[in-house]
Every structure is written in structure tokens, then in C-alpha cells.
Amino acid sequence: MIGVYDSGVGGLSVWKELYGLMPAEDFIYFADNAHCPYGDKPIEYIRDRARKVTSFFVDKGAEIVVVACNTATAAAIDMLRSEFSVPFVGMEPAIKPAAVATKSGVVGILATANTFKGSIYKHTREEFASDIKVIEVVGHGLVEAVESSQIPYSLLERYVGEIVGQGADVIVLGCTHFPFLQDQIQKIAGNDVLVINPAPAVARHTAKLLGYENKYFSSSVGKNLFYSSGSSDSLKGVLSNLCPFDPDLFHAELE
């Protein structure tokens, strides 16, 4: 069983890619939406939630955990790896492919405040983007908008305009909620700007860890369980557009 975890529905953008590559696997997804958003919460608070979700996954039989949340990855993945024996896959900012793709030498990163504060982001930027200009924009309000199934055009126009206005020709989506806004971001940015969603690369990495390059791809479909700590309405709404099956939804507070 593969555990997939996010502060809300954003991680479903990763689950979608994982399921597309490995439909025969069993998945358990947890949306911690009673505590969403994580973007401006204290680091210890995010770590405490990560511990509780991981313990829940392990109790349910998960053998690998995908932290499908950039903020939780930045705050907690090192701690999780030190405290639990299961392997973890986190969200790494797609700065390397952005640096390779840019022609203008300017890339924009749209993320949460805590993602930018994390050591993973800082190290990745130092390693792969030392010779290009990186514009960091905190997407205040975007996570909440996705959770409530709204399209915040005015916010997107402001954030994307700030990035493109400084000459960026690549925009990295540094939060798993943001791929659900990708079409709108692309429309605002224009066809000459590349918008990078890291979720497919994370799914491919997870599949590789599970040995899928050497596995027989079964046509059977595994079990998929979806949990939330708050209302399941947002999960229902997003899954109705993603799932080729009727999803099983459950509630778990994990207090």
C-alpha cells in the first residue's frame, strides 16, 4: 500500500500521476484539510501533523509514503525519515528542469512561504540555479481557493504578472494545489512561458523506487481509500473529475 499525504486536496494532483503509472497498487490518501493551509503555520505544528498522518498510514499497512505537499516536505521529511522505517518520497522544487529550459535566464517559483524557507528548496536553488535569476512569489490565498473549488483570477493575474513582468519564461508550480490552476496560469502567462508541474516526475521516481521498470504492468485495479480530517466535500469535488471509479471516502481526525 502506498500512502499519499497533503494538507488538503492538492496532493491529489500527485495521486493522479501515481495511479496513472501504477493502477494495480493499493493507495491510501489523507487530506489534512481540518488543518489546511500549512503554508504559514509553525514548523513544529506541521511536523506534529506529519507524524500523526504517517503513524496512521503505517497502522493501515502503508509500505511507502509520498509526502505530496511541498510545505510538509520542507518542514518534516527529514524528521519523518529519522523516526519511521518506511521509505518516503517528497516534493522537490522543479528548479533543475526550469534552469535547463529557460532561454531568458529568468524563472519564477510560485509556492508557499514555508516552502521557500525550507532547506530542500534552498539547497536545490543553490545547486541548480546559481547562474540564473529566480523570482520567488508566495501564492497567498491560492491553496484556500483550490480547497473551495474557486478560480482566483485576480490573484493569479497578480502573481503571474509579477513573474512574467520580470522576464521569466518558465514558471514552477511549487505547491501541489497549484496544478489544479495550471490551465488558468498558462492562459495568463501566455504560450511562450513554460509552466512546470513536478507531480509527474515525483510519480515516476516513486514507481522507480518500487521497481516498476522491471514489473509486469497488470490490468487489474488496486484498492483506493481516501481520508480527510475535515469535510469530505472538497475531496468529492476534485475526485469526481479525476477518478475512473467511485471513490471510498472516510473521516479520520488523528488528534
Side-chain angles (χ1 to χ4, degrees), residues 174-216:
C175 172
T176 55
H177 281 76
F178 297 169
F180 292 112
L181 303 171
Q182 185 167 352
D183 289 346
Q184 290 75 27
I185 291 171
Q186 186 72 72
K187 183 176 180 180
I188 295 168
N191 293 331
D192 292 334
V193 176
L194 174 66
V195 180
I196 297 180
N197 171 16
V202 171
R204 290 193 298 270
H205 177 62
T206 306
K208 184 177 180 179
L209 288 178
L210 293 172
Y212 258 75
E213 68 272 23
N214 300 315
K215 275 192 177 183
Y216 169 71

Side-chain angles (χ1 to χ4, degrees), residues 26-206:
D26 293 335
F27 289 92
I28 180 169
Y29 183 91
F30 191 87
D32 196 21
N33 54 353
H35 302 267
C36 183
Y38 282 174
D40 56 358
K41 284 187 169 60
I43 299 300
E44 284 306 318
Y45 183 93
I46 299 169
R47 288 175 178 168
D48 179 65
R49 296 306 302 167
R51 281 192 192 94
K52 289 175 178 174
V53 175
T54 301
S55 295
F56 175 74
F57 280 164
V58 172
D59 289 344
K60 292 289 185 180
E63 298 177 355
I64 186 170
V65 174
V66 180
V67 184
C69 174
N70 294 74
T71 301
T73 297
I77 199 163
D78 289 339
M79 176 272 295
L80 292 173
R81 285 172 172 153
S82 69
E83 295 184 7
F84 293 88
S85 59
V86 296
F88 290 86
V89 176
M91 300 301 299
E92 183 172 311
I95 296 176
K96 181 179 180 180
V100 171
T102 182
K103 297 177 182 178
S104 67
V106 183
V107 302
I109 316 289
L110 186 61
T112 67
N114 277 332
T115 294
F116 287 130
K117 295 175 185 176
S119 61
I120 294 174
Y121 172 79
K122 292 177 181 177
H123 291 159
T124 304
R125 175 174 174 169
E126 289 172 1
E127 182 174 359
F128 299 111
S130 60
D131 58 346
I132 64 172
K133 180 179 179 180
V134 178
I135 303 161
E136 300 174 355
V137 174
V138 176
H140 294 294
L142 296 183
V143 170
E144 295 91 329
V146 173
E147 289 291 319
S148 60
S149 300
Q150 298 176 353
I151 303 297
Y153 286 106
S154 60
L155 284 177
L156 289 176
E157 287 175 342
R158 184 201 312 171
Y159 299 144
V160 175
E162 181 178 345
I163 293 171
V164 176
Q166 297 185 60
D169 60 352
V170 180
I171 297 176
V172 174
L173 304 180
C175 172
T176 55
H177 281 76
F178 297 169
F180 292 112
L181 303 171
Q182 185 167 352
D183 289 346
Q184 290 75 27
I185 291 171
Q186 186 72 72
K187 183 176 180 180
I188 295 168
N191 293 331
D192 292 334
V193 176
L194 174 66
V195 180
I196 297 180
N197 171 16
V202 171
R204 290 193 298 270
H205 177 62
T206 306

